[in-house]
Amino acid sequence: MSRRLIAVTALVVTAAALTACSGSTTPAESSSNEAGSDFSLVNDGVLTVATEGTYRPFSFHGDGGTGDLTGFDVEIIQAVADKLDLEVEFQETQWDAIFAGLDAGRFDLIANQVSINEERQEKYLFSTPYTVSPGVIVVAEDDDSISSFDDLEGKTTAQSLTSNWYELATESGATVEGVEGWAQAVELLRQGRVDATINDKLTFLDYETTNSPSGLKIAAETEEAGEQAFVFTKDKTDLVEAVDGALEELRADGTLAEISDKYFGEDVTQ
């Protein structure tokens, strides 16, 4: 072997050894780069998130709709992205187009209080739930005549006629006064024109947080609770795993509970 080849070989070996010893790429940077490539993101280093932006208190604009995008879901996914050393880009999308956009590869995930159900699980991947919410019976705070769903027999509730809560009310023996939504149901309840209304606990907690004292209370809860999570296409298994890991850390360090308490006055994340 010529001296020139020996010298070049020695130089290459020395450089490799120095690189290994110096650690010019920090472990955090290396981990982040590897994770970013594994995630198959729409844009490298950026978590592209679909959300409505008009769904208070989960995803909305403050200051009467003119402020920055904020909300329960928005803050949680931002905290997740921070754990993964990723930037966040929100793509505000109407609900009826949000899954089509995910299917088309325009987003990495949906953060919009999407409920986990069997039909969606057949087509999509879900993170671990970050919202857990049962159905509740809401009554006037001085009404002690209702403490279970059996007590709705012969009572009158205010419900949207197209909701699952309408079905639960009728199955419980209540007479249903049809309304367009929660706001109208609450108004009838406050006026004493109905005995109760059934809805999602999150809806009541949000109302109680922004309208306290409301003069209302929860009389009973369903045994089963709805669960909401981030949604991904089936090819995003590595990203789902990473998001789940971040959610676990955020749950352990109290961040999820803190965000939840800000919007709902209690921890609805587990």
Side-chain angles (χ1 to χ4, degrees):
M1 181 181 294
S2 69
R3 290 182 179 179
R4 178 178 178 78
L5 184 55
I6 292 173
V8 171
T9 302
L11 182 61
V12 171
V13 171
T14 301
L18 288 172
T19 299
C21 293
S22 65
S24 59
T25 300
T26 66
E29 291 172 340
S30 176
S31 175
S32 177
N33 290 337
E34 288 181 13
S37 63
D38 290 342
F39 296 160
S40 300
L41 300 175
V42 174
N43 296 300
D44 289 343
V46 178
L47 197 60
T48 306
V49 178
T51 193
E52 284 185 277
T54 55
Y55 188 18
R56 189 182 185 95
F58 307 105
S59 168
F60 66 100
H61 287 268
D63 297 329
T66 61
D68 293 337
L69 183 68
T70 187
F72 178 68
D73 290 48
V74 170
E75 289 198 27
I76 289 182
I77 195 59
Q78 285 176 325
V80 167
D82 287 343
K83 287 288 186 183
L84 301 179
D85 291 327
L86 296 172
E87 299 294 325
V88 181
E89 179 182 329
F90 291 99
Q91 295 286 338
E92 297 183 41
T93 307
Q94 292 182 351
W95 175 255
D96 57 7
I98 207 164
F99 284 95
L102 185 67
D103 294 338
R106 291 171 50 203
F107 325 122
D108 297 310
L109 62 93
I110 299 172
N112 206 80
Q113 280 296 294
V114 181
S115 296
I116 301 173
N117 60 37
E118 291 183 3
E119 181 180 357
R120 288 174 181 155
Q121 284 180 311
E122 291 178 0
K123 188 172 183 180
Y124 301 101
L125 297 177
F126 284 85
S127 68
T128 53
Y130 60 90
T131 312
V132 179
S133 181
V136 296
I137 302 173
V138 179
V139 300
E141 62 183 358
D142 60 354
D143 184 356
D144 295 325
S145 66
I146 299 173
S147 59
S148 70
F149 283 85
D150 290 338
D151 291 335
L152 291 178
E153 181 76 39
K155 302 287 188 178
T156 301
T157 71
Q159 311 295 153
S160 170
L161 300 181
T162 59
S163 71
N164 293 335
W165 309 124
Y166 165 77
E167 296 179 7
L168 181 55
T170 55
E171 289 171 2
S172 301
T175 299
V176 174
E177 178 80 18
V179 294
E180 293 183 2
W182 167 255
Q184 190 176 354
V186 167
E187 188 62 26
L188 293 180
L189 182 57
R190 290 171 64 92
Q191 293 172 0
R193 295 167 58 185
V194 297
D195 301 302
T197 184
I198 306 174
N199 212 300
D200 188 274
K201 186 177 183 180
L202 282 180
T203 301
F204 172 76
L205 291 177
D206 175 48
Y207 181 81
E208 187 73 10
T209 300
T210 56
N211 295 275
S212 183
S214 67
L216 305 176
K217 68 179 182 180
I218 292 175
E221 299 185 0
T222 57
E223 292 183 2
E224 295 184 358
E227 295 181 328
Q228 288 72 42
F230 302 124
V231 191
F232 312 75
T233 49
K234 288 281 191 177
D235 60 327
K236 289 291 198 298
T237 54
D238 290 327
L239 181 56
V240 174
E241 183 178 348
V243 168
D244 283 350
L247 285 171
E248 184 177 350
E249 291 182 29
L250 293 167
R251 183 169 284 109
D253 67 20
T255 301
L256 293 187
E258 181 180 347
I259 295 172
S260 180
D261 187 66
K262 172 182 176 180
Y263 287 95
F264 302 110
E266 63 180 70
D267 188 1
V268 299
T269 65
Q270 55 188 347

